[in-house]
């Protein structure tokens, strides 16, 4: 694995403005969102709106990812995604969610998730996860992916490729009538082939008009998560695989989650809707 130094917090820039004409999620300006009490199965109109939100989120992530290169700051990636979403009439869902200060999460190397974009400069050999969620027409679309920055070592490259494959396998396992824990069973069995850790405390989730509806989608084989998968359900799958332990520490910012052994980690995510025969990806650019 790369012998690069461990990450340290950078300087966070001022909050980026969102045009007043763009509707905000209800949680903006509040300590926490109002708990979701609606159904996990969505109607056709809501699903169509989620296709739009998902497409904008995917496009915003792709635009930011174009800039990934040594010398670029994570704050610059945030700026690009922020401006893309605003230009397309969408609100960046993470901005103001439980006080999160930025419009995407940027998680490098040993950061499992929820890294805050700041003055950190990307280095040759880094792996960079971008997590982008867009809110438009009253619904959210959420996706993330891990990208290579410059010349990345083979161990890290394989981790990224295999984490993407773990997501793809999990999506194929989604079928009406199965239990939600089939997702984690598929991911964990695949990850174990390579000795990877599978993060347990951060999961996929139900998503619709709520950023996180309360439905939990674990990425490990959990006997406790037995919700039946039904057509029309909308949720994310977002496995986080590690080169070592799945245990973690959190930085003092209350957001940035890093592997306890500081070994590298990768993640991929899509928002899905369950169909009569499987799952449709809603976060395609």
């Amino acid at each position: 694995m790369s012998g690069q130094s461990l990450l340290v917090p950078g300087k966070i820039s001022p909050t980026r403005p969102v045009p007043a004409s763009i509707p905000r999620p209800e949680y903006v300006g509040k300590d926490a969102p109002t708990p979701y009490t609606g159904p996990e199965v969505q109607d056709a109109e809501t699903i169509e709106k989620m296709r739009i939100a998902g497409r904008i989120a995917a496009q915003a992530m792709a635009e930011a990812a174009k800039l990934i290169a040594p010398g670029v700051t994570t704050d610059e990636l945030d700026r690009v995604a922020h401006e893309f979403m605003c230009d397309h009439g969408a609100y960046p869902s993470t901005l103001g969610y439980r006080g999160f200060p930025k419009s995407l999460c940027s998680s490098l190397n040993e950061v499992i998730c929820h890294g805050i974009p700041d003055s950190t400069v990307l280095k040759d050999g880094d792996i960079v996860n971008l997590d982008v969620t867009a809110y438009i027409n009253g619904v959210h679309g959420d996706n993330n992916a891990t990208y290579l920055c410059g010349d990345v070592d083979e161990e890290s490259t394989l981790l990224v490729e295999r984490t993407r494959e773990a997501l793809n396998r999990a999506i194929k396992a989604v079928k009406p009538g199965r239990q939600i824990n089939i997702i984690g069973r598929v991911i964990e069995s695949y990850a174990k082939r390579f000795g990877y850790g599978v993060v347990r405390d951060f999961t996929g989730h139900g998503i619709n008009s709520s950023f996180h509806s309360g439905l939990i989608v674990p990425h490990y084989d959990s006997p406790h998560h037995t919700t039946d998968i039904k057509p029309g359900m909308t949720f994310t799958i977002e496995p986080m695989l590690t080169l070592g332990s799945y245990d973690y520490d959190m930085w003092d910012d209350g957001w940035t989650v890093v592997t306890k052994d500081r070994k590298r980690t990768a993640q991929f995510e899509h928002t899905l809707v369950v169909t009569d025969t499987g799952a449709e990806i809603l976060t395609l650019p």
Side-chain angles (χ1 to χ4, degrees):
M1 189 184 74
S2 171
Q4 290 181 333
S5 58
L6 299 178
L7 292 166
V8 295
K11 182 178 179 180
I12 299 175
S13 65
T15 300
R16 293 190 163 88
V18 176
S21 60
I22 296 178
R24 273 69 168 155
E26 59 82 23
Y27 53 73
V28 174
K30 297 163 57 177
D31 291 338
T34 302
Y36 178 72
T37 58
E40 297 297 345
V41 172
Q42 305 303 309
D43 59 28
E45 181 181 3
T46 300
I47 292 167
E48 182 56 36
K49 289 178 180 178
M50 290 183 67
R51 285 192 184 96
I52 296 170
R55 183 166 61 248
I56 292 173
Q59 291 172 340
M61 184 173 72
E63 287 300 307
K66 290 177 181 178
L67 273 72
I68 291 176
V72 176
T73 65
T74 55
D75 187 64
E76 180 67 4
L77 304 179
D78 180 81
R79 181 191 65 79
V80 171
H82 176 94
E83 291 180 356
F84 184 94
M85 284 184 275
C86 291
D87 288 347
H88 289 78
Y91 184 92
S93 300
T94 60
L95 185 61
Y97 180 78
R98 297 184 182 271
F100 192 83
K102 289 295 172 183
S103 299
L104 59 72
C105 299
S106 56
S107 302
L108 280 57
N109 301 337
E110 71 268 22
V111 179
I112 294 172
C113 58
H114 303 159
I116 301 174
D118 58 18
S119 60
T120 297
V121 176
L122 300 183
K123 298 178 181 178
D124 186 59
D126 284 343
I127 59 174
V128 184
N129 179 271
L130 300 182
D131 193 334
V132 180
T133 310
Y135 176 81
I136 188 170
N137 298 324
V139 299
H140 300 268
D142 185 4
N143 70 160
N144 77 55
T146 303
Y147 301 89
L148 308 181
C149 180
D151 185 16
V152 176
D153 66 274
E154 183 181 17
E155 185 179 39
S156 299
T157 300
L158 287 173
L159 174 68
V160 171
E161 292 175 355
R162 290 164 176 168
T163 305
R164 182 191 293 110
E165 176 63 15
L167 172 60
N168 292 338
R169 289 176 179 232
I171 292 171
K172 291 177 182 177
V174 174
K175 306 286 184 184
R178 291 180 171 177
Q179 295 180 336
I180 205 85
N181 57 15
I182 186 65
I183 293 168
R185 189 172 306 129
V186 167
I187 292 169
E188 187 170 40
S189 64
Y190 179 69
K192 279 184 173 180
R193 289 167 50 182
F194 311 104
Y196 296 153
V198 181
V199 173
R200 292 175 171 240
D201 288 357
F202 300 91
T203 68
H205 52 88
I207 184 171
N208 37 65
S209 60
S210 172
F211 195 171
H212 300 86
S213 72
L215 176 68
I216 295 173
V217 183
H219 303 119
Y220 63 98
D221 188 0
S222 168
H224 306 295
H225 294 83
T226 56
T227 301
D228 288 334
I229 297 173
K230 300 177 182 178
M233 290 178 72
T234 50
F235 53 81
T236 72
I237 303 176
E238 45 188 299
M240 292 150 264
L241 305 186
T242 66
L243 288 176
S245 172
Y246 60 73
D247 292 328
Y248 65 91
D249 294 318
M250 186 175 289
W251 283 4
D252 291 341
D253 60 23
W255 283 105
T256 306
V257 179
V258 296
T259 54
K260 185 170 284 291
D261 57 15
R262 302 304 189 265
K263 291 186 177 181
R264 287 187 166 188
T265 176
Q267 182 184 16
F268 284 83
E269 174 187 20
H270 275 306
T271 295
L272 312 170
V273 59
V274 181
T275 68
D276 290 337
T277 57
E280 175 192 347
I281 299 172
L282 299 177
T283 39
L284 292 175

